[in-house]
Amino acid sequence: MEGVQNLYNFLFEACNILRGPVSQDNFKDYITPILYFKRISDVYDEEIQAALDESGGDKEYASLPEQHRFVIPDGCHWIDIRERTENLGAAIVGAMRGIELANPDTLYGVLSVFSAQKWTDKKNLSDSKIRDLIEHLSTRRLGNKDYPADLMGDAYEVLLKKFADDSKAKAGEFYTPRPVVNLLIRILDPKPGETVYDPACGSGGMLIEAVHHMHHDNLCCGSIFGQEKNVVNAAIAKMNLFLHGASDFNVMQGDTLRSPKILQGSEIAKFDCVIANPPFSLEKWGATEWSSDKFSRNIWGTPSDSCGDYAWIQHMVKSMAPGNSRMAVVMPQGILFRGNEDGRIREKMIKSDLIEAIVTLGDKLFYGTGLSPCFLILRRMKPAERSARILMVDATKILTQKRAQNILSPEDVDHIYQLYLDYKDVEDYSKVVTLKEIEDKEFNLSPNRYINYHRETVRPYEEVKREFLEAIEAVKLAEQEFTRLIKN
């Protein structure tokens, strides 16, 4: 962790250079691309050195494209920018554009989404500020040998979390607390060679955790997919995956509910693991188009345009492959009991018998939302003994309280994971419920309607009253004794 903290401090120092002319909300629009540009340049130099060592100093051999993950065209390297004396913003934009065009398959659209206008507006960001930023970042090499991908990515995630802390309202859009992500990935347990898809991937945290979980196995290559509506976040997800060492992944930018981009032919593509924390209760999400959706994602119905929660769930179910596929989705707890169209959709979802488990989480775990979340685990092929049954888990008390924000400690994550694995009745925490029992409760999915909670035995009134009066007498005597001591 020390290395992560050290690198994070270094990156945060870069933010401090921008402080003043640039508002905190915009830090990531600057730091992300320039960090990426520096990383690519340093990795390129490392590859040159490795090829020179291997070939006994053959420069021509070292500059061949096959020696490099990325092509850096002439004049577009970090060193070229460092040598410039004026119009540094325009030079950075030009270099990034050049690198992007030279690597159309891997970097197309990643760097150019960061506004050229922001970099070149000298009123906002003077050449001397950019010079300070370049010189600060130049004091360290940021290659793979200096900072392995995991460490680089982790420090960047801490930075994203810091941006999230600084602009709480917007943070929920792109940051899911890491322990929650870890828990969901452990439950889904993606195996090397399986495909993983996040239809609302934000800055890529869920996909990165999946790659970690598969220990960066070579079979992960080409099996990681995501879509993200926000242009900057989609670019951050690509960079974040790259910084974490994932090489071949497919992240598309666009509105998943209105125009899903990850398709097989004219159908929604199918995946082994589908995981997401979509925006909660999205308004104006596109109900009209959905009612006649050309991908037939409205399997159980069309939610109202004031709340898209069940549209996300249905999109994800439609994205599950036949066979052993499974899905995890974070949602506001309202989806468990809301009526009207949501209630009708929920009833059909329950009857489909895809739901394996429902877990409610405690409050203040997520940024920028007062809503207490829950998550659903769905599985195409449930084990026979879980057929027509759902595990209900109340994990609202399993958390560690912090001043501003509650967290799930590693022990909390283990506790919830164990409740899922055990799949049995545990007083105060979990209960396995049949679909018939759920139907009897009008298809309400709130775990606290089913779980047996420990109840204290009620003591007789007279006994409690006597103890209360005795306590009052004891307080009076103590007060008299205290007064006597003070006077003496």
Side-chain angles (χ1 to χ4, degrees):
M1 191 62 199
E2 187 198 353
V4 170
Q5 193 56 43
N6 181 310
L7 179 57
Y8 160 73
N9 292 340
F10 174 72
L11 297 177
F12 192 64
E13 215 31 61
C15 296
N16 284 333
I17 291 170
L18 296 174
R19 207 173 286 280
V22 175
S23 78
Q24 297 193 139
D25 283 355
N26 289 327
F27 281 171
K28 68 176 194 280
D29 294 356
Y30 291 96
I31 297 299
T32 303
I34 200 162
L35 169 63
Y36 200 50
F37 176 33
K38 173 80 164 84
R39 172 79 164 181
I40 287 175
S41 296
D42 288 353
V43 167
Y44 187 85
D45 291 347
E46 262 178 10
E47 290 165 341
I48 289 260
Q49 194 51 55
L52 287 173
D53 294 348
E54 188 190 321
S55 65
D58 184 339
K59 286 184 178 166
E60 201 172 319
Y61 172 79
S63 62
L64 291 171
E66 48 269 30
Q67 303 302 331
H68 300 280
R69 279 168 70 179
F70 296 103
V71 178
I72 297 188
D74 286 349
C76 294
H77 192 287
W78 182 265
I79 295 165
D80 301 313
I81 302 306
R82 218 179 151 187
E83 287 169 354
R84 288 285 290 261
T85 52
E86 56 181 14
N87 298 337
L88 293 172
I92 287 173
V93 170
M96 291 203 247
R97 190 69 37 91
I99 292 172
E100 189 175 87
L101 293 171
N103 300 276
D105 295 344
T106 41
L107 295 181
Y108 179 73
V110 173
L111 294 165
S112 55
V113 306
F114 293 95
S115 164
Q117 186 191 347
K118 282 182 180 164
W119 279 106
T120 51
D121 177 2
K122 290 192 180 181
K123 284 201 305 297
N124 204 1
L125 203 58
S126 64
D127 272 351
S128 65
K129 276 277 184 201
I130 298 179
R131 161 71 53 220
D132 292 345
L133 187 59
I134 289 172
E135 288 310 313
H136 172 68
L137 289 172
S138 297
T139 59
R140 290 196 190 190
R141 297 189 54 82
L142 301 179
N144 267 322
K145 290 200 173 73
D146 311 293
Y147 295 105
D150 266 4
L151 190 113
M152 188 78 183
D154 285 351
Y156 181 63
E157 287 244 332
V158 180
L159 199 62
L160 283 181
K161 182 174 182 303
K162 173 73 179 142
F163 297 150
D165 286 336
D166 289 343
S167 59
K168 280 228 171 9
K170 297 200 189 104
E173 282 178 31
F174 71 94
Y175 191 83
T176 306
R178 199 68 178 266
V180 175
V181 179
N182 174 269
L183 174 62
L184 296 182
I185 291 288
R186 273 171 79 180
I187 290 173
L188 290 191
D189 191 22
K191 300 273 195 285
E194 291 191 314
T195 51
V196 182
Y197 167 57
D198 181 343
C201 70
S203 58
M206 300 240 185
L207 297 173
I208 286 158
E209 191 67 32
V211 173
H212 278 319
H213 184 82
M214 297 189 270
H215 304 296
H216 294 274
D217 190 287
N218 287 336
L219 291 168
C220 300
C221 254
S223 63
I224 303 292
F225 297 82
Q227 184 167 341
E228 166 58 34
K229 182 178 175 183
N230 176 304
V231 178
V232 169
N233 289 347
I236 288 178
K238 291 179 186 178
M239 295 188 198
N240 210 349
L241 277 153
F242 164 69
L243 292 177
H244 274 91
S247 51
D248 185 11
F249 49 83
N250 185 356
V251 171
M252 304 288 275
Q253 189 267 320
D255 182 331
T256 305
L257 296 181
R258 285 192 170 85
S259 59
K261 293 277 171 72
I262 301 191
L263 307 171
Q264 281 164 329
S266 56
E267 295 281 312
I268 294 283
K270 307 272 194 265
F271 304 92
D272 299 307
C273 294
V274 183
I275 184 168
N277 172 17
F280 287 3
S281 307
L282 198 60
E283 295 180 3
K284 300 190 172 58
W285 56 271
T288 317
E289 303 97 300
W290 185 271
S291 55
S292 56
D293 182 55
K294 66 177 180 196
F295 301 106
S296 324
R297 290 173 293 171
N298 49 356
I299 30 185
W300 301 314
T302 301
S304 86
D305 210 25
S306 60
C307 176
D309 292 338
Y310 270 104
W312 285 107
I313 290 175
Q314 292 180 93
H315 170 84
M316 291 173 74
V317 168
K318 190 76 180 172
S319 305
M320 291 168 76
N324 187 31
S325 63
R326 51 261 182 228
M327 151 183 166
V329 60
V330 181
M331 281 279 145
Q333 286 181 25
I335 66 143
L336 303 175
F337 53 78
R338 285 195 294 248
N340 300 333
E341 192 52 34
D342 276 9
R344 288 188 283 277
I345 293 173
R346 184 172 61 251
E347 179 181 334
K348 290 178 184 163
M349 174 171 77
I350 292 165
K351 287 178 172 171
S352 75
D353 196 21
L354 290 172
I355 306 173
E356 182 178 47
I358 287 168
V359 181
T360 48
L361 294 168
D363 61 354
K364 297 218 302 220
L365 286 172
F366 283 61
Y367 290 99
T369 170
L371 300 169
S372 292
C374 64
F375 65 83
L376 280 61
I377 303 294
L378 280 70
R379 206 173 271 274
R380 275 260 180 256
M381 286 169 52
K382 284 156 60 169
E385 68 278 8
R386 296 183 184 181
S387 170
R389 284 171 174 72
I390 296 176
L391 172 72
M392 299 281 186
V393 177
D394 178 351
T396 52
K397 301 283 184 291
I398 305 176
L399 48 76
T400 301
Q401 291 190 320
K402 296 282 185 198
R403 205 163 48 105
Q405 196 84 31
N406 296 330
I407 61 159
L408 290 182
S409 68
E411 295 73 28
D412 296 332
V413 170
D414 288 345
H415 187 176
I416 301 171
Y417 180 60
Q418 199 57 49
L419 287 166
Y420 166 77
L421 279 189
D422 292 344
Y423 215 91
K424 65 182 186 193
D425 298 359
V426 177
E427 189 176 58
D428 291 336
Y429 290 115
S430 62
K431 188 166 175 61
V432 178
V433 183
T434 64
L435 296 193
K436 177 75 181 77
E437 287 171 86
I438 294 171
E439 187 173 346
D440 292 344
K441 285 205 182 350
E442 295 172 336
F443 299 101
N444 185 311
L445 285 178
S446 302
N448 60 13
R449 296 284 299 272
Y450 301 92
I451 289 167
N452 297 321
Y453 293 96
H454 178 69
R455 287 200 163 70
E456 291 294 330
T457 49
V458 178
R459 292 164 59 208
Y461 170 72
E462 286 305 323
E463 193 183 307
V464 177
K465 183 180 172 186
R466 190 180 70 248
E467 278 182 21
F468 179 66
L469 293 172
E470 283 169 5
I472 286 182
E473 281 309 307
V475 168
K476 283 181 183 163
L477 289 171
E479 206 169 349
Q480 284 166 6
E481 177 64 5
F482 181 63
T483 311
R484 187 181 66 75
L485 289 169
I486 295 271
K487 281 182 174 161
N488 292 343

